[in-house]
Amino acid sequence: MTVGNPQKILSPEEIAVRAGEQLSFLHLPEPGVFADRALRLRALADGHAMGDFLRFVAELADAQHRALSAQVAVPLPTPDDIDAAARAGAPLLLAETWPREPIWRDSLRALLTDLACRLPDGPAKAAALQLAAASDEQLETQAGRLLSGVMLGLDLAGAPLIAAGLQLHFTRLVRQTYAAHVDAPVPPFGRTDDPTLCPCCGSRPVASLERLGAEGARYLACGLCATQWHYVRIKCTHCQSTKGISLQSLVAADGASTTTGAVVQAECCSECGHYLKLMHPARDNGVEPLADDLASLTLDLLVGEAGLHPHGVNLLLLLGEPDEAPPPGREH
């Protein structure tokens, strides 16, 4: 009798990893990323307790879309920069340290002026015009604090507007870098040493989602440049543990659980006490990570009451007091 080689039985994690090897690792931001966000925000705003805020962010996203469509050229990394990042296993456009050329401030001011022209008279319009007139030093200081997660001295009222300019800049930077180096011997973007952070800009995700057409595979969505990258399911996005993972959902007003059909859930880790939202486009194909994160703030509050801290960050809605230390999850 011939005895064949014994077949190894794979663990669920190994099966997920092998499946991931067959999927596209990266999905870079599309030209319509901000337009899609604005559309989703308006749809979510109807009847929502935060409806006015969601509609304001929709106007902001529309302004970002118009600015991105203008195709303003930004200074790009060199082949030497790409090679150095690849050797170090680091994101090429690390947001905290990548040089911000003056073009980002020019684009921010243009974005804010455009936004103000479309807003009714009121605090939001006044804030946009005031920030557009701010000094270069003030804009750079606030941008640095925002990107490094430092709440001390951060202007929380102006932070969403600064964040919108940074999102625009880094989305441009990622798209133009890829287009310029797509055929280079060393690709500009790839896997890095920390799979929990964006492989393009090193930022934390705003949420994760199961991409349609990817057989239920989970991708993390960057809160800054809108890149999405593959990450194994049922694995903590903070400590990378596969133990103690649970999914939490809101409960309907009649007391019935909405876990099975919930569009947005919180994937919680009892090992490190962190969570990240998981979104299911198959249950609502209009899902947009940043928009749906804003609209599901109640879930954050309830999970937070249980003592869990977010791994993700939404730059358009920072929670906390100005004198606080960097938010939990910034210890990477």
Side-chain angles (χ1 to χ4, degrees):
M1 183 177 67
T2 301
V3 179
N5 294 327
Q7 185 175 11
K8 178 184 177 182
I9 299 177
L10 300 178
S11 68
E13 183 180 9
E14 289 173 320
I15 293 173
V17 170
R18 290 197 176 187
E21 291 173 351
Q22 309 302 317
L23 297 168
S24 296
F25 172 62
L26 278 182
H27 291 275
L28 299 180
E30 298 289 343
V33 58
F34 295 120
D36 292 342
R37 184 171 297 166
L39 185 66
R40 180 61 171 175
L41 284 162
R42 289 192 172 90
L44 292 169
D46 290 342
H48 197 286
M50 294 172 56
D52 289 344
F53 178 72
L54 297 179
R55 281 184 281 270
F56 166 73
V57 179
E59 289 289 348
L60 189 55
D62 277 336
Q64 289 174 300
H65 174 68
R66 290 189 292 271
L68 186 64
S69 301
Q71 300 181 349
V72 174
V74 294
L76 302 179
T78 66
D80 287 343
D81 293 329
I82 295 172
D83 185 64
R87 290 177 182 275
L92 172 61
L93 306 170
L94 191 60
E96 290 185 40
T97 58
W98 185 257
R100 291 190 298 274
E101 302 289 342
I103 186 66
W104 94 268
R105 298 192 303 267
D106 297 339
S107 293
L108 171 62
R109 291 185 173 111
L111 183 153
L112 294 174
T113 302
D114 176 38
L115 174 67
C117 289
R118 299 167 190 270
L119 292 176
D121 291 339
K125 181 172 185 173
L129 291 174
Q130 182 178 2
L131 193 59
S135 67
D136 291 350
E137 181 180 6
Q138 181 180 346
L139 295 181
E140 290 293 350
T141 298
Q142 289 297 309
R145 289 170 179 162
L146 192 60
L147 292 176
S148 61
V150 175
M151 300 289 282
L152 182 63
L154 181 66
D155 175 16
L156 290 179
L161 300 176
I162 295 282
L166 291 170
Q167 288 174 337
L168 170 64
H169 179 66
F170 277 92
T171 300
R172 271 183 182 152
L173 196 50
V174 167
R175 286 179 49 79
Q176 293 181 24
T177 295
Y178 179 77
H181 297 284
V182 63
D183 295 323
V186 179
F189 307 120
R191 299 178 188 274
T192 58
D193 289 346
D194 189 342
T196 71
L197 300 178
C198 176
C200 295
C201 71
S203 299
R204 283 189 281 162
V206 64
S208 67
L209 73 161
E210 296 176 327
R211 280 188 65 96
L212 292 172
E215 300 180 353
R218 188 251 290 269
Y219 284 76
L220 305 186
C222 180
L224 181 62
C225 73
T227 294
Q228 296 181 10
W229 68 101
H230 181 254
Y231 189 83
V232 176
R233 288 286 307 272
I234 318 177
K235 183 176 183 179
C236 178
T237 54
H238 183 82
C239 71
Q240 303 184 56
S241 172
T242 55
K243 300 177 182 179
I245 304 297
S246 63
L247 293 175
Q248 303 296 327
S249 305
L250 295 176
V251 174
D254 59 4
S257 173
T258 60
T259 300
T260 302
V263 175
V264 180
Q265 298 176 296
E267 185 180 75
C268 306
C269 176
S270 62
E271 294 291 301
C272 69
H274 286 78
Y275 74 93
L276 185 72
K277 289 178 186 172
L278 172 63
M279 301 177 180
H280 304 276
R283 301 172 187 175
D284 183 341
N285 62 12
V287 163
E288 198 285 325
L290 187 144
D292 282 78
D293 177 68
L294 288 176
S296 56
L297 178 61
T298 302
L299 181 58
D300 291 279
L301 298 178
L302 293 177
V303 173
E305 288 178 356
L308 296 174
H309 302 290
H311 172 67
V313 61
N314 192 323
L315 296 174
L316 299 185
L317 184 61
L318 298 175
L319 304 177
E321 297 298 326
D323 291 334
E324 288 183 356
R330 199 69 203 185
E331 308 92 81
H332 294 280

